[in-house]
Each structure stands twice: as structure tokens, then as C-alpha cells.
Amino acid sequence: MKRLFLILFSLFTQTLFAQNYSIVIKGGHLIDPKNNIDGPMDVAVTDGKVALVARNIDPKGAKQVVNAKGMYVMPGLIDIHGHVFQGTEPNNYLSNGPVALAPDGFTFRVGVTTIVDAGGAGWKSFPAFKKNIIYTSKTRVLSLINIVGEGMRGGAWEQDTADMDARMAAAVALANPNDIVGFKVAHFQGPLWTPVDRAVEAGKLSKLPVMIDFGGNVPPLPLEELFLKHLRPGDIFTHTYTLLEGNVREPIVDEETGKVKPFVWEARKKGIVFDVGYGGASFNYSQAIPALKAGFYPTTISTDLHTGSMNGSMKDMLSIMSKFLGMGMALPAVIRAGTWTPAQVIHREMLGHLSVGAIADVAILTLREGNFGFYDKTGYRVEGKKKFECEMTIKGGRIVYDLNGIVHPIVVQP
Ligand SMILES: [Zn+2]
């Protein structure tokens, strides 16, 4: 009798749970690199979390059912290099100025659920960033705060070593652990290691990584010294595949031999993170093609999103992912570099995967076939046959973008 009761009770609860799913994504091809899944798999979501991942989930009773047939389902994309501290201050460049973009207009439509503002806000301006952008955005917005207190205001502001305070930066980071994931160094033109060393010091005080936009130093500082002497394992080198005008920054691929420099391999072995940070001027096919041919893939794929890059050759996260796919990077590796790996790099291991119980941030993409043109800032153009397009984005269990109405019923958010 007791046994029968237990069986009936278990059947009852199963039915109950089946009816409780808020969303069931049916018929897609799931790529979840953390869990080594690359195959047909349904995903059920309840209460903002992943409730079940299984070959065939009964959608009966679910509030909404997504038809993902022929599509790739994956964790929501994580862009660790964006510029979203948008504001109206004149002459403020990427710190509360109009060159930065409001995140929600540029994230969900390309599968991005988490974006990290890379140094727009400094340790002084972070409160304004938190109030104006983090609190008001639906996108999950995080920050690598600038070692310059005033943030990325451009020009002379970013040359002021007196404003690069490791203790203050670390204190602001430690006071805002939900929002700040590390520190940023950029645009310094002096012949000194001061900005890098102050950021690393802040990183040591708060146990967080630093992201370095290197170059522009006059005279140039050696890249080998940056990787092997100044940075720690887990620190991020962004703009990996750039070749700058006038060689103001040493490139990773030797222009004469076309080979990735030996110390760059050594840096990778040490644990330096090689981030794309595509941007307006920070990606050259002449660096990326030989690097990828030699197997030097990016650790993380990111945009360096701002008004210039998005209207230039960069466009968006999916355009960059399509370029790397076209250069021979395997599909699951491309997805990993935009999901699970960036989550680990910014110490947000609760993101970037679809384990049961994880936050239900999901991107559903199609890989369109056709004739596409991919080019870089120099005008070098590559023909491509495949291009990612975002069909749907789910953030925290809610559908926030649906290109073609693939869910039933469609519930349009006001
Ligand atoms: Zn940037």
C-alpha cells in the first residue's frame, strides 16, 4: 500500500513539474561546452533557471514552447569587452559620453546576455555607471574598472599617473563584488609600466584579473616583458590580432616570418588570456590568419563595442564569431570562446553554461548559408559561406528577443 502510494505520489509530482515549466526549447542542437554537450537536446526552464536538459522533454503544460529545429541552442553569450557607459557629457569619450552605447539596444539581438564594460568607468566614476547603466539595463552589465579614476575620458585624462590608484581601485572593486570583475588599462602613451603595475597591484589586493589594452607607448614597451614579467596567469591581453599603424605596439605574429612569436606561446602556457577585443582598429586578418593556421586561437571572443566599431568592420559578436569560424576555428570552440571560457575568465562560473539549476541565459542561433563578405579595417576581404544569426535570446528565464516568432504562444513584452 505504502509502495503504491509512493509510485502514485511520484507520478503526480512528475506531472506537476512538467506543467510547471515556463519554457521548453524543443528540437535544437545544444552546444554546452562546460558540460561537453554537442548534440540534439531539449532544454526546459522554470523560475529563471534551467530545470531539465534531456533528449526529449514533454512540452505538455509548459507556458511557452520554442521550436528550435535546425538551430543551435547555447548559453547566453558573454562579451567581456564592450563600452556601454553611455552618457551625454561632451568630450567624455567612453566614460559617460556618446561614443559608448546603451547595452540593451546591442546585446539581446545578437545573443549576448552579459556584457562587461571595459574601463569606461574608473574607480571615481563607477557610482554613476552603476546608477545610470547597471541598474537601468536588462542586460547583465559588469565592469572592469579603469585604473584611471576618471575612467576612459580620452586624451590627457588617461595619461595622468597620479590618478592611477591601486588601493582606491581595489577598495571600489571590493565594495561592489556583484558588479566589478577586474581592472582595465588602456591608451597610455608614456614609456612607463606604471599603469600596468598599478592595475596588477589592484588585482592582487582584490584577487581579480586585469585587462590590458597595450600599445601607443612611445617608445614602445616590449610585449614579452608585459606577458612574462608584469602580468599574472589569468590576466587578459585584449586586441590580440591587431597591427597598429606605425608599429606603436608589437604584434604577436612576426611580420617577416609570419610566425607566432615564441614568447607569445610561452605566455599562453603561463595562463595569459588572449582576448579578441575586435574594436575599430584592433583586428587585422594579416595577424589572425597566420595565427589561427598555427593553432593560436583566441581564449575569448569579444567585441570592443562602441559607435565606431559597430558601424565599421566589427559589427557585432556574431559577425566576429562567424569570422573565426571562417578562419577554421571549430564551431564548439567558437561557442566556448563566447560562453564558458569568458565566464571563467571573469570569475563568474555561475554563467556560461546550461547545467540544471544554472541561470537560464540562452542564445538560439542559426548558421545561415550563403555568400557573405567579411573584411577588416584595412579593407582585406574574405568570402564566407556561413554566418551566425540570432533567432532568440533568453535572459534569466525570460524571452527578451525573438527574431521570427518561434515561440508559442508569442508574448510580446511592452
Ligand atoms: Zn575597448
Side-chain angles (χ1 to χ4, degrees):
M1 188 61 198
K2 195 175 168 193
R3 209 186 143 89
L4 181 69
F5 172 76
L6 279 175
I7 290 168
L8 283 173
F9 181 73
S10 137
L11 278 173
F12 170 74
T13 51
Q14 272 175 25
T15 320
L16 194 72
F17 287 139
Q19 286 176 342
N20 274 353
Y21 293 138
S22 32
I23 303 169
V24 175
I25 303 163
K26 289 288 299 174
H29 180 115
L30 178 64
I31 299 184
D32 181 359
K34 189 208 170 187
N35 293 308
N36 290 314
I37 301 174
D38 180 1
M41 205 68 85
D42 294 348
V43 178
V45 171
T46 299
D47 294 335
K49 303 267 169 67
V50 176
L52 182 64
V53 177
R55 184 73 183 78
N56 193 1
I57 300 176
D58 183 0
K60 208 168 122 248
K63 287 197 187 84
Q64 287 180 293
V65 181
V66 177
N67 178 6
K69 207 167 178 317
M71 298 171 193
Y72 291 102
V73 178
M74 64 199 67
L77 303 177
I78 300 171
D79 181 358
I80 63 166
H81 188 159
H83 292 285
V84 293
F85 190 4
Q86 195 192 38
T88 53
E89 295 292 329
N91 304 317
N92 260 45
Y93 192 37
L94 294 166
S95 185
N96 208 9
V99 184
L101 294 160
D104 293 352
F106 303 90
T107 48
F108 296 150
R109 57 189 298 111
V110 288
V112 172
T113 47
T114 301
I115 192 161
V116 181
D117 180 80
W123 50 269
K124 282 183 201 160
S125 49
F126 179 76
F129 179 64
K130 187 165 176 170
K131 176 170 162 273
N132 296 352
I133 306 296
I134 294 180
Y135 282 163
T136 63
S137 300
K138 287 184 182 161
T139 310
R140 181 175 297 97
V141 178
L142 301 168
S143 169
L144 285 157
I145 54 165
N146 208 308
I147 192 63
V148 178
E150 292 283 340
M152 206 170 277
R153 292 184 64 175
W157 294 103
E158 295 183 69
Q159 311 307 318
D160 182 7
T161 51
D163 199 29
M164 301 175 191
D165 190 318
R167 287 190 174 278
M168 285 307 293
V172 172
L174 289 168
N176 296 276
N178 293 332
D179 310 304
I180 295 176
V181 294
F183 306 92
K184 178 78 188 283
V185 171
H187 308 153
F188 186 66
Q189 291 161 0
L192 304 168
W193 290 102
T194 310
V196 171
D197 292 343
R198 297 257 170 91
V200 169
E201 196 188 328
K204 283 180 184 162
L205 290 169
S206 55
K207 297 191 170 61
L208 292 172
V210 302
M211 178 187 273
I212 310 291
D213 165 349
F214 202 59
N217 304 92
V218 184
L221 296 172
L223 203 52
E224 179 169 7
E225 209 175 316
L226 173 73
F227 293 155
L228 305 179
K229 292 204 178 132
H230 293 267
L231 298 186
R232 305 159 296 165
D235 284 337
I236 309 156
F237 177 67
T238 192
H239 308 318
T240 293
Y241 302 101
T242 189
L243 187 67
L244 292 171
E245 278 295 305
N247 266 344
V248 290
R249 201 202 78 184
E250 202 186 337
I252 62 158
V253 171
D254 188 311
E255 287 177 272
E256 304 268 298
T257 64
K259 295 232 159 71
V260 175
K261 295 173 183 173
F263 72 82
V264 176
W265 288 108
E266 210 180 312
R268 162 148 285 174
K269 219 180 273 169
K270 172 181 165 175
I272 302 296
V273 172
F274 286 89
D275 177 52
V276 173
Y278 191 110
S282 302
F283 175 90
N284 293 60
Y285 269 122
S286 67
Q287 286 282 307
I289 291 172
L292 264 74
K293 273 205 180 120
F296 195 85
Y297 297 106
T299 322
T300 50
I301 293 177
S302 69
T303 58
D304 192 4
L305 177 78
H306 51 72
T307 55
S309 63
M310 61 156 287
N311 289 319
S313 79
M314 187 283 283
K315 307 211 163 43
D316 55 41
M317 190 75 170
L318 298 183
S319 170
I320 305 170
M321 285 166 60
S322 304
K323 281 177 182 172
F324 279 91
L325 191 69
M327 283 187 286
M329 196 169 170
L331 177 68
V334 170
I335 306 298
R336 177 185 276 266
T339 56
W340 176 229
T341 305
Q344 292 171 289
V345 165
I346 58 168
H347 303 181
R348 285 294 186 278
E349 284 85 356
M350 70 288 262
L351 301 173
H353 57 91
L354 295 174
S355 313
V356 169
I359 295 167
D361 284 3
V362 185
I364 304 179
L365 310 182
T366 43
L367 196 50
R368 287 183 54 197
E369 304 215 345
N371 295 313
F372 306 105
F374 299 110
Y375 58 93
D376 70 6
K377 67 173 184 196
T378 70
Y380 186 90
R381 186 176 184 275
V382 174
E383 292 279 334
K385 295 287 174 200
K386 290 176 176 175
K387 191 180 182 188
F388 287 109
E389 186 168 79
C390 179
E391 281 286 347
M392 175 170 283
T393 305
I394 298 171
K395 155 88 196 306
R398 279 186 55 192
I399 296 170
V400 288
Y401 182 77
D402 179 1
L403 182 65
N404 288 301
I406 56 171
V407 66
H408 182 81
I410 296 171
V411 181
V412 178
Q413 308 290 343

